[in-house]
Amino acid sequence: MSLEETRFTALGSHCHLLGIGLRPGSLRRAEAWVASMHLRFSRFLPDSEVSRLNASAGVWVEVSGELEAMLRSALEAYQESGGLVHVGVLGSMLAIGYTRPLAEGPAPGGEPAEAPQPLSEMVEVRPGNARLRPGSGIDLGGIAKGWLADRLSPNLGRNSLVNLGGDLQARGGGPEGQGWPVGLGGATLMLRDQGAATSGTWRRRWAQEGCAVHHLIDPRTGRPALSDLKEVSVVAPTATAAEVWAKTALLLGSSGAESFLAERALAWCMD
Amino acid sequence: MRELGLKAGATALTLAAAVASALYVGGHLKNGGAPMQPPVASPAAAAAGTRLSVTSSVATGDVAPVTSTYVS
């Protein structure tokens, strides 16, 4: 059976889907599904489900099963990371000028935002509904790609790999049955039913009033993170876990990242 | 007549030099000591400065990756 693959742009990133022995049309359907999730979860699209939730802060809003599940996953990530992976940093992102896709260029920054409230006090979820604290907003960009890769992977095929902007889930034995060969930290790792993700501060970075700013907000300060690490890559049982752990390690910095990852991750690389 | 001889001689000399140069270069391309082969950084050297840790749950491979994880 031959390797099939497709590449496309969605979620503000390059996406790459691969599989062996896929059902006819699987790649096309998977690409369409990712595109539909982009329309639903992008905060830059005024009609997206996330934008409607942000615009309705303070009142209960009916949400789809996918958004409800992602919000629950975001709350779990907040707990798992000790509060460092926080989807409620929208105010900080807007304050540094990240008001539109960076392909269009950052907007002028505003007054620095304060550190956000705990996510558990900002977001409430109940079956079919969600409510944001008045004056707050969410950006799911920090967890969505890994979460979506985990959901898409089992539907794409038993032997497949879903890579959404560098956050990926490998399923099955890959081309030769030894796992899917994935590049990480200059090495090739053979991943089988495992996820990987990378978090860094050197992309989505721009200058603002003579200072460098980037999109990774430290929820302890409400400002772009000042980590001594530039990039952290992680292999975990799922893409969601890999993304959360990579981001947590980056925010912890080199002093805390090693022990955090040694207790959890299957492989990791720090720079 | 002398002018024609000089032109023919110059042409022959130029062609001979070109052929000799091509033969010399072709014969020395795979010489390990040839100065035209710059040292190539190994993958390990390219990744210098990074700290990679791999547990027994993950196998490493010596094949080219089909995709990579990266910052987006």
Side-chain angles (χ1 to χ4, degrees):
Chain A
M1 285 182 286
S2 61
L3 175 68
E4 299 173 69
E5 61 184 317
T6 186
R7 299 171 191 268
F8 55 95
T9 300
L11 309 168
S13 304
H14 299 296
C15 302
H16 189 190
L17 310 180
L18 308 96
I20 296 169
L22 301 179
R23 293 188 305 276
S26 293
L27 288 174
R28 182 177 45 77
R29 286 193 297 274
E31 181 177 343
W33 184 81
V34 175
S36 71
M37 291 298 107
H38 171 83
L39 297 177
R40 183 174 291 180
F41 295 129
S42 173
R43 71 173 169 92
F44 300 120
L45 300 173
D47 292 332
S48 74
E49 193 174 8
V50 166
S51 293
R52 289 201 299 273
L53 179 62
N54 282 334
S56 305
V59 300
W60 284 100
V61 174
E62 192 173 328
V63 295
S64 65
E66 286 87 355
L67 182 54
E68 178 190 334
M70 197 180 291
L71 290 172
R72 292 189 190 281
S73 184
L75 288 164
E76 291 170 7
Y78 180 79
Q79 295 298 329
E80 169 78 9
S81 64
L84 292 179
V85 177
H86 193 313
V87 299
V89 292
L90 179 60
S92 297
M93 288 188 170
L94 299 178
I96 60 172
Y98 195 6
T99 61
R100 56 194 181 198
L102 288 182
E104 301 172 15
E111 288 295 313
E114 295 181 355
Q117 298 289 321
L119 189 65
S120 50
E121 298 176 16
M122 188 183 283
V123 178
E124 295 175 90
V125 184
R126 65 188 188 195
N129 293 274
R131 181 170 67 178
L132 302 183
R133 184 190 182 104
S136 66
I138 61 169
D139 179 312
L140 297 172
I143 66 161
K145 290 190 287 292
W147 190 91
L148 292 171
D150 285 336
R151 267 70 196 168
L152 178 57
S153 175
N155 293 321
L156 181 57
R158 292 179 182 171
N159 197 2
S160 64
L161 190 149
V162 176
N163 187 346
L164 304 180
D167 300 334
L168 61 91
Q169 178 67 19
R171 185 176 174 84
E176 305 293 336
Q178 309 296 314
W180 286 92
V182 171
L184 186 152
T188 299
L189 303 184
M190 309 301 287
L191 303 189
R192 178 196 287 260
D193 301 328
Q194 292 162 331
T198 299
S199 186
T201 58
W202 61 274
R203 290 283 304 272
R204 300 184 196 263
R205 187 179 185 94
W206 63 97
Q208 188 179 82
E209 296 177 359
C211 298
V213 295
H214 57 80
H215 74 300
L216 187 61
I217 301 295
D218 188 334
R220 295 169 295 191
T221 62
R223 310 278 178 88
L226 296 173
S227 175
D228 62 341
L229 295 172
K230 286 187 299 183
E231 180 177 316
V232 178
S233 299
V234 170
V235 176
T238 66
T240 303
E243 190 170 12
V244 170
W245 296 349
K247 199 164 272 90
T248 303
L250 192 80
L251 288 167
L252 285 171
S254 57
S255 62
E258 189 77 38
S259 59
F260 176 83
L261 293 173
E263 290 176 6
R264 298 166 172 81
L266 308 178
W268 62 95
C269 182
M270 297 190 289
D271 186 10
Chain B
M1 191 65 185
R2 184 169 178 269
E3 187 178 325
L4 189 62
L6 284 172
K7 284 181 179 176
T11 302
L13 187 62
T14 302
L15 288 172
V19 169
S21 299
L23 289 173
Y24 178 85
V25 170
H28 290 75
L29 270 179
K30 294 179 181 177
N31 183 343
M36 290 177 68
Q37 287 192 330
V40 177
S42 67
T50 63
R51 286 166 285 167
L52 176 64
S53 302
V54 182
T55 70
S56 58
S57 300
V58 179
T60 57
D62 56 3
V63 297
V66 295
T67 193
S68 297
T69 176
Y70 53 86
V71 183
S72 65

